Amino acid sequence: MTVVRGASPPEDPPRTGSIVDLEERIASLDPEVRAAAERILAVTTTVGRLDPPTEMHEWIVKQFGSLEAVLSQKVVRVTNLVTFEGALFNDLRARRPAEVKGGADARETIEKARGDPFCHPETGTPQDDFGRIRGEHGITASNIAKYDGYHGVLIFDEHDPLVPMSADVLRDRLATARRWAQAAHEADPAARYYFLLWNCLWRAGGSIVHGHMQMTATRGMHYPKVEQLRRQALAYDERHQRDYFDDLWSVHDALGLGVQREGARIFASLTPVKESELVILGRPGEDEVALAPAIAHAIAGFRSRGVVAYNLALYLSPLSPDGNDWRRFPPQARLVDRGDPANKTSDIGAMELYAASVVAADPFRVVEALQA
Ligand SMILES: [Zn+2]
C-alpha cells in the first residue's frame, strides 16, 4: 500500500461525542459556558503521521483494527490553565476496543489472601493511642509503617475489596474514617488536615489485598496538592469573579461529561491524572460523607467497565479553622483507573511524572458508564 503523506485522516465512526472533537465541541457551546471553557482549558489538536513497511501491515491491523487508523493519529492536548494539570489523548489508543482486564487473576489472588491479618484486625493490627474506631462495616487500625504522625487504616469487614459497595456501606465507612480523624484531631489539635485515600489492589499501590482505606491527619498546612488547589481556585475567583469549581463543573457538564447524584456533581475529567479519572464535587460546607452515593456510583461505573485497580482520594477542608479561606472549597473525591493488575508495564512513566499524562480512555466513553 502506498502511503500518501498529507492525506486526510480516515472518517471517524459516528459517535455521541469524542475527545477528538473537543475543540469543535467547545466552539459550539453557549457563549457563557464557552467563555468559562476558554478561561480554564487550552485545547490543541494535532495529527501524527507514520509510514510502516509492508511487513508490518498485518500486525498493525491485528493490533489497531486498520492500517488507516495508524497512518495518521489525532492527538488532543488539554491543559488546565488554572491548575496546570494536562493530558494528551491519542485517538488511536482511544479507538482500541475496550479490553477485558485481568479480573480473573486478581480474583484468584484476592481469594488466596483470605485469612490475612486484616481478616482479624483486633489481633492482627496495632491500634492508635486513642484506640480503635468501630463502624458497622469496618474498624480502624494504626498503620504500622506511617507516612505521617497520624496514619490510620480503615479495615473493611469484607476481605474482598471488589465486593460491590452500596452507598450505605460507603457512607458508614467514610463516617467511621472521619470519626478517626476527629479522634486524631482531639489528641493533637494541630493535626487538623484530614486526608483519605484508597489504593485498591497492588496495581494501585495497595500492599495488602484485603479491602482498606487509609487516613492521615497532618499538621502545619494541608498536603501540597490540596493547598495548591485551594490557592489556585482563590486566585481564579479573584481574577474572574467566578467560582472555579462551579465553572469547572459547568464546562464538563455542558460538554456532556457530567452526571449528578444526590446533589453531588460527577464528571469525567478533561485533564485526567491518568486513565478514566472521575472528579466528584460536593458543596462547600458539606463533608465528604454526603458524597457517598456519588462515589459509590462512580466506583460501580468503574467496575462495570472491568476496572479492578483504582485510587480514590478525598480533598477536604480542615477539621478546624486554620486562618485560611476554605469557604469556597467543596469536598471532592478523585477516582482513577490504574489498569490491568496482570500487566507488568507500569501505567506511569516519565511523561506522567514530569510532563503531562498520556491517556487512552476517552472521557466521553468514560461518562457513559455513569449514565447507564
Ligand atoms: Zn482479609
Side-chain angles (χ1 to χ4, degrees):
M1 176 176 173
T2 312
V3 177
V4 182
R5 291 183 183 281
S8 318
E11 288 289 313
D12 284 320
R15 293 188 277 199
T16 53
S18 166
I19 192 71
V20 299
D21 308 321
L22 184 60
E23 282 189 90
E24 293 87 335
R25 289 176 79 87
I26 288 174
S28 63
L29 292 173
D30 289 341
E32 195 180 331
V33 72
R34 192 177 73 224
E38 286 163 0
R39 283 194 292 273
I40 296 176
L41 299 175
V43 181
T44 56
T45 309
T46 185
V47 178
R49 299 179 201 281
L50 50 75
D51 183 0
T54 315
E55 290 83 350
M56 283 189 73
H57 289 189
E58 194 184 328
W59 179 84
I60 288 172
V61 171
K62 205 172 142 201
Q63 288 291 310
F64 299 102
S66 76
L67 195 57
E68 291 70 26
V70 173
L71 299 184
S72 63
Q73 307 175 21
K74 257 193 186 178
V75 175
V76 177
R77 183 178 158 192
V78 187
T79 303
N80 182 318
L81 298 168
V82 181
T83 63
F84 287 94
E85 298 164 289
L88 296 154
F89 297 92
N90 181 329
D91 179 34
L92 177 63
R93 290 161 172 263
R95 79 167 74 195
R96 272 152 72 179
E99 53 207 274
V100 177
K101 296 185 175 177
D105 284 350
R107 183 146 305 286
E108 194 185 329
T109 306
I110 291 166
E111 290 310 314
K112 275 190 190 153
R114 278 193 195 276
D116 60 17
F118 282 14
C119 282
H120 49 92
E122 308 254 9
T123 53
T125 68
Q127 64 175 20
D128 284 291
D129 50 11
F130 51 78
R132 294 187 195 271
I133 311 295
R134 290 174 169 79
E136 263 184 69
H137 298 284
I139 184 169
T140 67
S142 189
N143 201 305
I144 201 141
K146 299 191 181 305
Y147 42 63
D148 214 322
Y150 286 97
H151 183 185
V153 184
L154 178 75
I155 299 171
F156 298 174
D157 55 344
E158 294 265 10
H159 170 82
D160 181 350
L162 302 182
V163 168
M165 198 185 298
S166 70
D168 284 343
V169 169
L170 182 58
R171 190 181 287 114
D172 173 75
R173 287 174 176 160
L174 294 179
T176 306
R178 174 162 279 266
R179 282 165 54 214
W180 175 93
Q182 283 161 342
H185 183 41
E186 266 171 44
D188 177 1
R192 60 167 61 87
Y193 301 99
Y194 169 40
F195 187 69
L196 178 139
L197 68 107
W198 181 9
N199 298 330
C200 187
L201 298 184
W202 54 93
R203 176 82 179 171
S207 56
I208 290 173
V209 166
H210 188 119
H212 66 286
M213 294 170 172
Q214 299 182 58
M215 306 81 71
T216 61
T218 196
R219 303 157 56 114
M221 72 159 82
H222 215 318
Y223 291 125
K225 291 190 179 183
V226 187
E227 175 63 12
Q228 174 177 255
L229 179 60
R230 182 188 73 82
R231 293 187 191 193
Q232 289 163 334
L234 277 181
Y236 182 89
D237 287 12
E238 276 163 27
R239 185 164 172 204
H240 302 293
Q241 288 77 54
R242 297 280 311 170
D243 183 85
Y244 169 66
F245 298 103
D246 288 348
D247 273 0
L248 185 68
W249 159 255
S250 301
V251 169
H252 284 85
D253 189 41
L255 290 166
L257 296 171
V259 172
Q260 298 211 48
R261 200 78 175 184
E262 300 198 19
R265 301 163 289 179
I266 313 172
F267 62 86
S269 176
L270 286 168
T271 54
V273 67
K274 198 52 194 176
E275 301 300 334
S276 306
E277 191 182 32
L278 297 173
V279 176
I280 299 155
L281 296 176
R283 304 286 171 183
E286 282 180 344
D287 71 30
E288 72 288 357
V289 180
L291 301 181
I295 298 172
H297 184 62
I299 293 171
F302 265 29
R303 298 285 295 114
S304 75
R305 296 173 57 240
V307 176
V308 294
Y310 49 84
N311 298 110
L312 172 75
L314 296 183
Y315 281 12
L316 304 168
S317 53
L319 298 164
S320 62
D322 65 350
N324 291 315
D325 185 358
W326 291 87
R327 284 171 301 174
R328 299 299 310 155
F329 196 84
Q332 51 198 289
R334 292 178 169 216
L335 181 68
V336 64
D337 170 12
R338 298 299 306 277
D340 181 350
N343 195 343
K344 278 186 187 162
T345 307
S346 174
D347 59 334
I348 304 289
M351 276 301 287
E352 285 76 16
L353 289 172
Y354 298 122
S357 298
V358 180
V359 176
D362 185 329
F364 290 91
R365 300 285 79 72
V366 174
V367 76
E368 283 170 2
L370 303 180
Q371 291 161 336

